[in-house]
Amino acid sequence: MKEKYDVVIIGSGLGGLVSGIIMAKEGKSVCVLEKNQQYGGNLQTFSRNKTIFDTGVHYIGGLSEGQNLYQYFKYLDIIDEIELKKLDEDGFDIITFDDDATEYKHAQGYENFIQELVSQFPEEEKAIRAYCDKVQETCDKFPLYNLKVGKNYYQDTAVFELPAKQFIDSLTNNERLKAVLAGNNLLYAGDADRTPFYVHALSVNSYIESSYRCVNGGSQITKALLKKLKEAGGEAYKRQEVVDFNVENGTVTSVTTSNGNVVRGDTFISNVDPKVTLKMVGKENFRKSYVSRIEDIESTMAAFSLYIVLKPGTFKYLNHNYYHFKSTEDVWSAFEYTQEEWPKAYMVSMGVKKNGDAYGDNLAAMTYMNFDEMKPWEGTFNTAANKNERGQTYEEFKRAKEEKFITELEKKFPNIRECIEAVYSSTPLSYRDYIGSNRGSMYGYVKDASNALKSFVSARTKIKNLFFTGQSLNMHGILGVTISGVVTCSTILGREYLVSKIQGANNIEEVKR
């Protein structure tokens, strides 16, 4: 490790690695510091019983040639390094309900998406087409989503103030169709009272355009990014937890790691949750009003995830995801539950192996969990790099939740219990400790249609050489966080300049001013 770098990045999540590559490609000396023994944040995978599980990335959209994430990955030069499997074109996401045996399909390609739903809701073609038109029209308002410069979209507040549920409800009186259109809102922790439609649109559009799974897990994206970072001259170090920022005269001069390394730099980019970053930097180094504004932003819901190792040759591989609800009423309120009702909704996905056969070797299921359920163990901390036991009561809590969740899955997959070889799970504490998210939040900060700018966090902090990146900046997900890295670096390098570089890598015409 050098004594000083042009750019020091704290956290090797997707936003941090993307920022690192961009700055290294610009000739800057770059150092990425990661606290865990594995790079990648939500891209991390883990192995149980010789089976690979993803921690957060179950599928990716927008990766067919010419689409937005494809173009970003081409600029980063990783598109040819990733092995993908395309999900079922006629139903990559399937929405189901306890009281209805029908499987409602979200298909790839807008016309295919429309025709598939019209076949199930023949009287509702007008509503379905209006929905698709609005999704695409909304996405067109976000320049970087479309690899354009454009004006600062926060000047157009109307796009932020339309509630998702309100718009979907306005399309039709068919309650089942409304629930199906909003049925994969576990992608963004949809809230009936607050979630803006733009969050829904940006989340689902790229998946409708194309949907893929990473063969052998999302960590291959991390490996590809690290390779390109090093090829560009950047460096990355794991087991280097930053515990302190050293600030002099309103400027960060260095960071100190838990094992005593002091790393100096000219520019610092934090890929750690802004709330956590402020604590690390020292709140006294910011204006009280700024600290209060960041601290007052609500974090999104946390999750409980189930990881099931399947016995060989017992459970057919499913080349699609399931989003299941107890009823249509639960689509927008599944995070509000009693212990008796839990889980009111869940998402099921399967891993795909290289040279995989007709049978799957693992299944992952995710549902909401309130962080307050973690109160008895909130003071404990456990990662692979810093092993600590949370105690017998925590293990008993997990076992009880696993059993209840499997019982719920049995309603959908009656033979699943006899296919199980082993069961593992993660709680909001796992997300908090491994990913560094506030209160185990799945998707950064809550976006509220009634107060559009409240959760807006600028990449530029109130310290002139400290910047944020990651899912709390604009949007979560692989595409959203990739764009966050671009947003951060464009704040430093200039947006027009950086977008022209990305367009150039894709042989797109020069930036239109």
Side-chain angles (χ1 to χ4, degrees):
M1 210 182 289
K2 299 187 188 80
E3 189 179 316
K4 187 178 180 185
Y5 295 86
D6 294 327
V7 182
V8 177
I9 297 171
I10 299 89
S12 71
L14 178 59
L17 292 176
V18 168
S19 299
I21 292 173
I22 294 171
M23 299 308 287
K25 281 163 77 83
E26 291 300 313
K28 307 290 186 186
S29 59
V30 173
C31 176
V32 179
L33 302 171
E34 169 56 49
K35 71 173 183 177
N36 289 316
Q37 65 180 16
Q38 189 180 154
Y39 297 107
N42 268 317
L43 290 168
Q44 293 177 64
T45 55
F46 63 93
S47 178
R48 295 288 184 273
N49 300 56
K50 299 180 180 178
T51 300
I52 297 170
F53 288 96
D54 277 300
T55 55
V57 179
H58 301 293
Y59 63 137
I60 310 173
L63 265 182
S64 287
E65 188 167 355
Q67 293 174 354
N68 49 12
L69 188 57
Y70 176 95
Q71 293 183 50
Y72 279 114
F73 277 12
K74 188 173 181 187
Y75 162 73
L76 295 166
D77 199 22
I78 65 168
I79 193 67
D80 295 327
E81 309 270 335
I82 304 166
E83 190 171 353
L84 302 164
K85 180 174 178 62
K86 196 168 195 182
L87 294 178
D88 293 338
E89 297 217 359
D90 292 335
F92 65 93
D93 279 349
I94 295 178
I95 318 300
T96 56
F97 307 91
D98 265 7
D99 60 351
D100 185 351
T102 307
E103 295 193 335
Y104 297 97
K105 297 179 179 180
H106 287 195
Q108 297 184 51
Y110 271 97
E111 195 54 39
N112 195 24
F113 181 92
I114 291 165
Q115 294 307 326
E116 191 65 48
L117 283 182
V118 168
S119 72
Q120 296 183 302
F121 298 94
E123 307 297 316
E124 298 289 345
E125 182 171 356
K126 183 180 176 184
I128 295 164
R129 286 191 178 277
Y131 165 81
C132 291
D133 288 346
K134 189 67 172 180
V135 168
Q136 294 173 90
E137 172 198 314
T138 301
C139 291
D140 284 344
K141 294 181 183 292
F142 291 79
L144 283 178
Y145 190 85
N146 301 289
L147 281 90
K148 296 176 182 174
V149 177
K151 68 175 184 177
N152 184 337
Y153 50 71
Y154 276 89
Q155 294 170 10
D156 181 8
T157 57
V159 73
F160 299 98
E161 294 170 352
L162 175 64
K165 184 177 186 298
Q166 177 183 308
F167 174 73
I168 292 171
D169 284 355
S170 74
L171 295 171
T172 176
N173 292 321
N174 188 312
E175 295 300 325
R176 188 73 57 180
L177 176 59
K178 291 178 193 177
V180 169
L181 291 175
N184 53 7
N185 68 10
L186 271 83
L187 280 169
Y188 52 87
D191 181 329
D193 298 323
R194 295 186 290 186
T195 302
F197 185 75
Y198 85 87
V199 170
H200 173 89
L202 294 177
S203 297
V204 304
N205 174 72
S206 61
Y207 291 113
I208 295 173
E209 290 185 336
S210 65
S211 291
Y212 295 86
R213 279 184 184 148
C214 286
V215 176
N216 288 338
S219 62
Q220 61 170 300
I221 299 175
T222 306
K223 289 171 188 166
L225 289 167
L226 282 166
K227 178 183 172 185
K228 296 305 174 183
L229 173 69
K230 289 169 184 175
E231 284 177 5
E235 301 169 22
Y237 299 93
K238 54 189 178 183
R239 290 180 177 265
Q240 295 289 335
E241 182 177 5
V242 171
V243 292
D244 192 24
F245 283 71
N246 308 302
V247 181
E248 295 176 14
N249 301 319
T251 302
V252 180
T253 57
S254 65
V255 292
T256 304
T257 67
S258 57
N259 47 14
N261 286 323
V262 176
V263 187
R264 296 171 59 229
D266 292 325
T267 299
F268 294 81
I269 297 173
S270 177
N271 190 199
V272 179
D273 186 300
K275 292 175 189 280
V276 179
T277 301
L278 291 188
K279 288 179 191 171
M280 292 163 65
V281 176
K283 296 176 188 176
E284 68 278 4
N285 291 300
F286 301 91
R287 287 202 304 269
K288 285 183 179 178
S289 58
Y290 180 74
V291 173
S292 295
R293 196 178 81 75
I294 298 291
E295 288 186 335
D296 286 348
I297 303 173
E298 188 179 341
S299 297
T300 56
M301 193 68 173
F304 180 89
S305 293
L306 199 61
Y307 305 100
I308 296 174
V309 180
L310 298 164
K311 294 174 185 173
T314 60
F315 195 95
K316 286 284 180 71
Y317 169 72
L318 304 170
N319 199 36
H320 49 260
N321 308 302
Y322 278 100
Y323 288 87
H324 184 81
F325 300 87
K326 288 190 173 178
S327 72
T328 56
E329 290 76 31
D330 294 323
V331 169
W332 289 103
S333 61
F335 54 86
E336 298 169 341
Y337 58 84
T338 63
Q339 292 304 315
E340 292 71 32
E341 294 170 325
W342 186 90
K344 291 168 77 175
Y346 58 79
M347 180 258 198
V348 164
S349 186
M350 295 187 74
V352 55
K353 292 183 298 184
K354 195 169 185 175
N355 307 319
D357 56 23
Y359 290 89
D361 67 353
N362 76 74
L363 179 147
M366 178 186 78
T367 188
Y368 294 121
M369 180 169 278
N370 195 313
F371 188 78
D372 289 342
E373 289 200 53
M374 299 294 100
K375 272 210 168 80
W377 314 282
E378 195 173 350
T380 64
F381 185 85
N382 180 38
T383 67
N386 293 285
K387 283 282 185 191
N388 287 291
E389 296 300 322
R390 302 198 203 272
Q392 185 180 344
T393 55
Y394 179 71
E395 294 306 317
E396 289 171 352
F397 170 86
K398 286 175 69 175
R399 298 295 89 78
K401 291 294 184 182
E402 289 166 5
E403 176 60 29
K404 193 159 191 205
F405 204 163
I406 292 168
T407 300
E408 206 61 41
L409 288 175
E410 278 186 292
K411 297 176 186 176
K412 182 80 192 150
F413 309 104
N415 69 325
I416 192 166
R417 198 176 287 271
E418 61 200 56
C419 302
I420 294 174
E421 182 177 299
V423 177
Y424 302 90
S425 61
S426 64
T427 71
L429 290 177
S430 313
Y431 287 87
R432 182 199 67 180
D433 293 356
Y434 278 89
I435 311 303
S437 59
N438 183 58
R439 289 173 62 83
S441 163
M442 285 193 286
Y443 304 128
Y445 296 156
V446 170
K447 309 292 191 294
D448 190 340
S450 66
N451 194 346
L453 296 183
K454 182 181 180 183
S455 61
F456 172 68
V457 178
S458 172
R460 191 184 296 280
T461 74
K462 300 304 179 182
I463 291 177
K464 62 184 178 183
N465 68 334
L466 174 64
F467 299 84
F468 290 134
T469 198
Q471 68 173 1
S472 297
L473 224 59
N474 288 294
M475 282 290 293
H476 58 275
I478 297 292
L479 175 58
V481 176
T482 298
I483 293 173
S484 86
V486 174
V487 168
T488 301
C489 294
S490 69
T491 305
I492 300 167
L493 301 168
R495 179 174 290 196
E496 197 168 293
Y497 170 80
L498 184 52
V499 172
S500 68
K501 283 284 189 85
I502 298 167
Q503 290 179 331
N506 288 278
N507 299 314
I508 298 171
E509 289 181 20
E510 65 178 325
V511 176
K512 292 183 174 61
R513 290 167 174 79

